[in-house]
Amino acid sequence: MTSRTRDTDTDTSTETLDHAIARSQGLDTLLRDLTDRAVQEVPGADACSVTVRRADRLMTLAGSAGLPAGLDLRQYENGSGPCVDAAESGGAQYSPDLAAETRWPAYTQYALATGVRCVLALPLAVEGETGAALNLYGVEPDSLARGLDPARAFAERAADAVNEALRVERQQASAADVRTALLSRSVIDQAVGMLMARERIDAHRALERLRRASQDRNVKLRDLCAQVVARASGGASHGRK
Protein backbone atom coordinates (compact mmCIF):
# COMPACT_ATOMS: atom_id res chain seq x y z
CA MET A 1 0.00 0.00 0.00
CA THR A 2 1.25 3.50 -0.87
CA SER A 3 0.36 6.80 0.75
CA ARG A 4 -1.44 9.52 -1.20
CA THR A 5 -2.26 13.17 -0.44
CA ARG A 6 -5.63 14.53 -1.54
CA ASP A 7 -8.03 17.34 -0.73
CA THR A 8 -11.73 16.88 -0.11
CA ASP A 9 -14.86 18.87 -0.84
CA THR A 10 -18.30 18.01 0.55
CA ASP A 11 -20.15 19.03 -2.61
CA THR A 12 -17.81 16.94 -4.75
CA SER A 13 -18.27 13.93 -2.46
CA THR A 14 -22.04 14.24 -2.63
CA GLU A 15 -21.96 14.56 -6.40
CA THR A 16 -19.79 11.50 -6.92
CA LEU A 17 -21.94 9.38 -4.60
CA ASP A 18 -25.10 10.44 -6.44
CA HIS A 19 -23.43 9.48 -9.71
CA ALA A 20 -22.46 6.12 -8.19
CA ILE A 21 -26.08 5.43 -7.27
CA ALA A 22 -27.32 6.47 -10.71
CA ARG A 23 -25.01 4.18 -12.66
CA SER A 24 -24.98 1.29 -10.21
CA GLN A 25 -26.19 -2.06 -11.58
CA GLY A 26 -26.72 -3.55 -8.13
CA LEU A 27 -25.45 -3.63 -4.58
CA ASP A 28 -22.09 -5.23 -5.43
CA THR A 29 -21.30 -2.70 -8.16
CA LEU A 30 -22.37 0.21 -5.97
CA LEU A 31 -20.25 -0.89 -3.02
CA ARG A 32 -17.15 -1.37 -5.14
CA ASP A 33 -17.64 2.13 -6.51
CA LEU A 34 -18.19 3.55 -3.01
CA THR A 35 -15.00 2.06 -1.60
CA ASP A 36 -12.96 3.52 -4.46
CA ARG A 37 -14.71 6.89 -4.00
CA ALA A 38 -13.94 6.86 -0.29
CA VAL A 39 -10.23 6.49 -1.01
CA GLN A 40 -10.43 9.43 -3.42
CA GLU A 41 -12.51 11.69 -1.19
CA VAL A 42 -11.23 11.09 2.37
CA PRO A 43 -7.80 12.63 3.13
CA GLY A 44 -5.28 10.06 4.30
CA ALA A 45 -7.27 7.02 3.16
CA ASP A 46 -5.28 4.48 1.17
CA ALA A 47 -7.82 1.66 1.24
CA CYS A 48 -11.46 1.14 2.15
CA SER A 49 -13.88 -1.73 2.70
CA VAL A 50 -17.53 -2.25 3.66
CA THR A 51 -18.46 -4.77 6.35
CA VAL A 52 -22.03 -6.10 6.65
CA ARG A 53 -23.47 -8.87 8.80
CA ARG A 54 -25.38 -11.42 6.72
CA ALA A 55 -26.56 -14.89 7.68
CA ASP A 56 -25.38 -14.15 11.23
CA ARG A 57 -21.76 -13.52 10.26
CA LEU A 58 -19.71 -10.50 9.29
CA MET A 59 -18.34 -10.36 5.77
CA THR A 60 -16.65 -7.84 3.50
CA LEU A 61 -19.04 -7.01 0.66
CA ALA A 62 -16.59 -4.79 -1.20
CA GLY A 63 -13.06 -3.44 -1.00
CA SER A 64 -11.13 -0.79 -2.87
CA ALA A 65 -8.20 -1.53 -5.13
CA GLY A 66 -5.05 -2.36 -3.16
CA LEU A 67 -6.86 -3.60 -0.05
CA PRO A 68 -5.13 -6.66 1.47
CA ALA A 69 -7.86 -9.30 1.81
CA GLY A 70 -6.75 -10.35 5.28
CA LEU A 71 -7.24 -6.91 6.84
CA ASP A 72 -10.92 -7.58 7.45
CA LEU A 73 -10.84 -11.38 7.45
CA ARG A 74 -8.43 -11.55 10.40
CA GLN A 75 -10.88 -9.43 12.41
CA TYR A 76 -13.81 -11.73 11.61
CA GLU A 77 -11.77 -14.82 12.50
CA ASN A 78 -10.67 -13.32 15.82
CA GLY A 79 -14.02 -11.68 16.55
CA SER A 80 -12.05 -8.57 17.40
CA GLY A 81 -10.90 -5.46 15.56
CA PRO A 82 -12.00 -1.94 14.63
CA CYS A 83 -14.51 -2.89 11.93
CA VAL A 84 -15.97 -5.70 14.09
CA ASP A 85 -16.38 -3.31 17.03
CA ALA A 86 -17.87 -0.56 14.86
CA ALA A 87 -20.39 -2.92 13.25
CA GLU A 88 -21.42 -4.59 16.50
CA SER A 89 -21.36 -1.63 18.88
CA GLY A 90 -22.58 1.08 16.53
CA GLY A 91 -19.73 3.33 17.66
CA ALA A 92 -16.84 4.76 15.63
CA GLN A 93 -13.44 3.16 16.18
CA TYR A 94 -10.28 5.17 15.47
CA SER A 95 -6.71 4.08 15.96
CA PRO A 96 -4.28 6.86 14.98
CA ASP A 97 -1.24 4.55 15.22
CA LEU A 98 -1.54 0.77 15.36
CA ALA A 99 2.04 0.58 16.60
CA ALA A 100 0.78 2.01 19.90
CA GLU A 101 -2.62 0.24 19.85
CA THR A 102 -3.50 -2.18 22.68
CA ARG A 103 -7.19 -3.00 22.00
CA TRP A 104 -6.74 -5.66 19.30
CA PRO A 105 -3.28 -7.25 19.71
CA ALA A 106 -3.74 -10.19 17.31
CA TYR A 107 -5.19 -8.00 14.58
CA THR A 108 -2.74 -5.15 15.14
CA GLN A 109 0.25 -7.37 14.51
CA TYR A 110 -1.15 -8.54 11.18
CA ALA A 111 -2.23 -5.05 10.06
CA LEU A 112 1.21 -3.60 10.77
CA ALA A 113 2.77 -6.40 8.71
CA THR A 114 0.67 -5.27 5.70
CA GLY A 115 1.88 -1.67 6.09
CA VAL A 116 -1.24 -0.24 7.75
CA ARG A 117 -0.60 2.24 10.58
CA CYS A 118 -3.93 4.06 10.93
CA VAL A 119 -7.51 2.71 10.95
CA LEU A 120 -10.94 4.35 11.09
CA ALA A 121 -14.10 2.20 11.22
CA LEU A 122 -17.47 3.96 11.10
CA PRO A 123 -20.82 2.21 11.69
CA LEU A 124 -23.32 2.27 8.83
CA ALA A 125 -27.03 2.52 9.57
CA VAL A 126 -28.18 -0.20 7.17
CA GLU A 127 -31.85 -1.20 7.31
CA GLY A 128 -32.58 -4.86 7.83
CA GLU A 129 -29.00 -5.70 8.84
CA THR A 130 -27.70 -6.14 12.39
CA GLY A 131 -24.29 -4.60 11.79
CA ALA A 132 -22.36 -2.74 9.11
CA ALA A 133 -19.28 -0.53 8.93
CA LEU A 134 -17.21 1.57 6.54
CA ASN A 135 -13.51 0.84 7.14
CA LEU A 136 -10.72 3.21 6.14
CA TYR A 137 -7.01 2.42 6.25
CA GLY A 138 -3.93 4.66 6.11
CA VAL A 139 -0.23 3.83 5.84
CA GLU A 140 1.09 6.73 7.92
CA PRO A 141 0.53 7.35 11.66
CA ASP A 142 -2.51 9.59 12.25
CA SER A 143 -2.92 9.93 8.47
CA LEU A 144 -6.71 9.95 8.81
CA ALA A 145 -6.83 12.79 11.36
CA ARG A 146 -7.77 15.37 8.72
CA GLY A 147 -10.26 12.97 7.21
CA LEU A 148 -12.38 12.27 10.31
CA ASP A 149 -15.17 14.74 9.53
CA PRO A 150 -15.20 14.07 5.75
CA ALA A 151 -15.24 10.33 6.51
CA ARG A 152 -18.27 10.67 8.80
CA ALA A 153 -20.11 12.68 6.15
CA PHE A 154 -19.16 10.09 3.53
CA ALA A 155 -20.38 7.23 5.76
CA GLU A 156 -23.79 8.90 6.12
CA ARG A 157 -24.09 9.25 2.37
CA ALA A 158 -22.81 5.71 1.85
CA ALA A 159 -25.44 4.33 4.24
CA ASP A 160 -28.16 6.09 2.24
CA ALA A 161 -26.79 4.64 -1.00
CA VAL A 162 -26.49 1.12 0.44
CA ASN A 163 -30.03 1.27 1.83
CA GLU A 164 -31.37 2.35 -1.57
CA ALA A 165 -29.50 -0.47 -3.33
CA LEU A 166 -30.75 -3.01 -0.76
CA ARG A 167 -34.31 -1.76 -1.26
CA VAL A 168 -34.05 -2.31 -5.02
CA GLU A 169 -32.41 -5.70 -4.46
CA ARG A 170 -35.25 -6.80 -2.15
CA GLN A 171 -37.86 -5.63 -4.65
CA GLN A 172 -36.17 -7.61 -7.43
CA ALA A 173 -35.96 -10.70 -5.21
CA SER A 174 -39.62 -10.33 -4.29
CA ALA A 175 -40.63 -10.00 -7.94
CA ALA A 176 -38.59 -13.11 -8.78
CA ASP A 177 -40.32 -15.02 -5.98
CA VAL A 178 -43.73 -13.98 -7.33
CA ARG A 179 -42.78 -15.10 -10.85
CA THR A 180 -41.56 -18.45 -9.51
CA ALA A 181 -44.76 -18.92 -7.53
CA LEU A 182 -46.92 -18.11 -10.55
CA LEU A 183 -44.99 -20.52 -12.76
CA SER A 184 -45.28 -23.24 -10.12
CA ARG A 185 -49.01 -22.67 -9.78
CA SER A 186 -49.42 -22.80 -13.55
CA VAL A 187 -47.61 -26.12 -14.01
CA ILE A 188 -49.47 -27.67 -11.06
CA ASP A 189 -52.82 -26.57 -12.51
CA GLN A 190 -51.86 -28.06 -15.88
CA ALA A 191 -50.92 -31.40 -14.32
CA VAL A 192 -54.16 -31.46 -12.28
CA GLY A 193 -56.17 -30.80 -15.44
CA MET A 194 -54.43 -33.58 -17.32
CA LEU A 195 -54.99 -36.06 -14.50
CA MET A 196 -58.67 -35.05 -14.24
CA ALA A 197 -59.20 -35.69 -17.95
CA ARG A 198 -57.29 -38.97 -17.97
CA GLU A 199 -58.70 -40.48 -14.77
CA ARG A 200 -62.12 -38.77 -14.89
CA ILE A 201 -61.78 -37.45 -11.33
CA ASP A 202 -62.35 -34.03 -9.76
CA ALA A 203 -59.64 -31.43 -9.10
CA HIS A 204 -59.34 -32.20 -5.38
CA ARG A 205 -58.68 -35.92 -5.92
CA ALA A 206 -56.26 -35.17 -8.77
CA LEU A 207 -54.23 -32.81 -6.58
CA GLU A 208 -54.18 -35.28 -3.70
CA ARG A 209 -52.86 -38.02 -6.01
CA LEU A 210 -50.10 -35.74 -7.22
CA ARG A 211 -49.18 -34.79 -3.66
CA ARG A 212 -48.98 -38.42 -2.58
CA ALA A 213 -46.83 -39.25 -5.60
CA SER A 214 -44.46 -36.37 -4.84
CA GLN A 215 -44.09 -37.58 -1.23
CA ASP A 216 -43.58 -41.21 -2.25
CA ARG A 217 -40.91 -40.26 -4.77
CA ASN A 218 -39.39 -37.54 -2.53
CA VAL A 219 -39.80 -35.02 -5.34
CA LYS A 220 -41.16 -31.49 -5.04
CA LEU A 221 -44.77 -31.21 -6.19
CA ARG A 222 -43.83 -28.52 -8.71
CA ASP A 223 -41.11 -30.70 -10.24
CA LEU A 224 -43.36 -33.76 -10.37
CA CYS A 225 -46.09 -31.76 -12.13
CA ALA A 226 -43.53 -30.38 -14.57
CA GLN A 227 -42.56 -33.97 -15.42
CA VAL A 228 -46.23 -34.94 -15.93
CA VAL A 229 -46.81 -31.96 -18.24
CA ALA A 230 -43.56 -32.63 -20.14
CA ARG A 231 -44.44 -36.31 -20.67
CA ALA A 232 -47.95 -35.44 -21.82
CA SER A 233 -46.65 -32.74 -24.17
CA GLY A 234 -44.04 -35.11 -25.56
CA GLY A 235 -46.63 -37.82 -26.15
CA ALA A 236 -48.97 -35.38 -27.88
CA SER A 237 -46.18 -34.15 -30.14
CA HIS A 238 -45.19 -37.72 -30.99
CA GLY A 239 -48.81 -38.59 -31.81
CA ARG A 240 -49.12 -35.68 -34.23
CA LYS A 241 -46.16 -36.80 -36.31
Side-chain angles (χ1 to χ4, degrees):
M1 295 174 64
T2 58
S3 179
R4 306 183 187 93
T5 301
R6 54 181 74 79
D7 294 323
T8 187
D9 182 280
T10 301
D11 292 338
T12 301
S13 177
T14 299
E15 180 184 9
T16 55
L17 282 171
D18 287 341
H19 287 169
I21 296 172
R23 67 173 170 272
S24 170
Q25 298 301 311
L27 181 60
D28 292 342
T29 303
L30 173 62
L31 290 179
R32 284 196 300 269
D33 199 0
L34 287 181
T35 56
D36 288 337
R37 293 290 174 182
V39 173
Q40 296 172 14
E41 303 295 337
V42 177
D46 289 281
C48 175
S49 66
V50 173
T51 294
V52 171
R53 181 180 294 281
R54 279 189 164 180
D56 200 34
R57 68 186 182 93
L58 291 174
M59 62 180 65
T60 298
L61 293 188
S64 63
L67 176 74
L71 274 177
D72 293 346
L73 183 59
R74 286 300 178 92
Q75 298 182 65
Y76 308 151
E77 291 175 345
N78 296 332
S80 174
C83 73
V84 171
D85 288 359
E88 294 188 341
S89 72
Q93 305 294 322
Y94 180 52
S95 179
D97 188 357
L98 289 178
E101 183 59 68
T102 60
R103 286 175 289 179
W104 317 290
Y107 170 71
T108 297
Q109 183 178 6
Y110 176 82
L112 288 171
T114 68
V116 172
R117 289 292 296 273
C118 184
V119 179
L120 172 63
L122 298 168
L124 293 175
V126 178
E127 298 173 3
E129 307 294 343
T130 57
L134 180 76
N135 316 304
L136 296 158
Y137 300 94
V139 299
E140 300 292 338
D142 212 21
S143 58
L144 290 164
R146 289 192 307 117
L148 293 178
D149 288 338
R152 290 189 182 97
F154 193 97
E156 290 180 3
R157 294 285 298 144
D160 290 341
V162 172
N163 279 318
E164 177 63 17
L166 283 171
R167 184 187 65 80
V168 173
E169 189 178 69
R170 292 187 190 107
Q171 286 179 341
Q172 292 173 341
S174 178
D177 289 343
V178 170
R179 286 195 296 271
T180 299
L182 289 174
L183 288 172
S184 297
R185 184 70 260 174
S186 175
V187 75
I188 291 171
D189 287 344
Q190 289 181 61
V192 166
M194 290 175 177
L195 195 57
M196 288 172 63
R198 189 178 69 196
E199 302 293 334
R200 299 183 182 278
I201 57 178
D202 60 24
H204 177 74
R205 292 184 62 190
L207 182 58
E208 284 304 312
R209 285 193 183 184
L210 290 168
R211 283 176 175 163
R212 283 198 302 271
S214 72
Q215 292 171 357
D216 292 342
R217 301 178 189 180
N218 195 26
V219 177
K220 290 182 179 179
L221 178 61
R222 177 193 61 204
D223 296 338
L224 176 68
C225 290
Q227 294 171 12
V228 170
V229 172
R231 283 198 300 268
S233 299
S237 298
H238 180 74
R240 284 194 296 266
K241 289 182 179 179

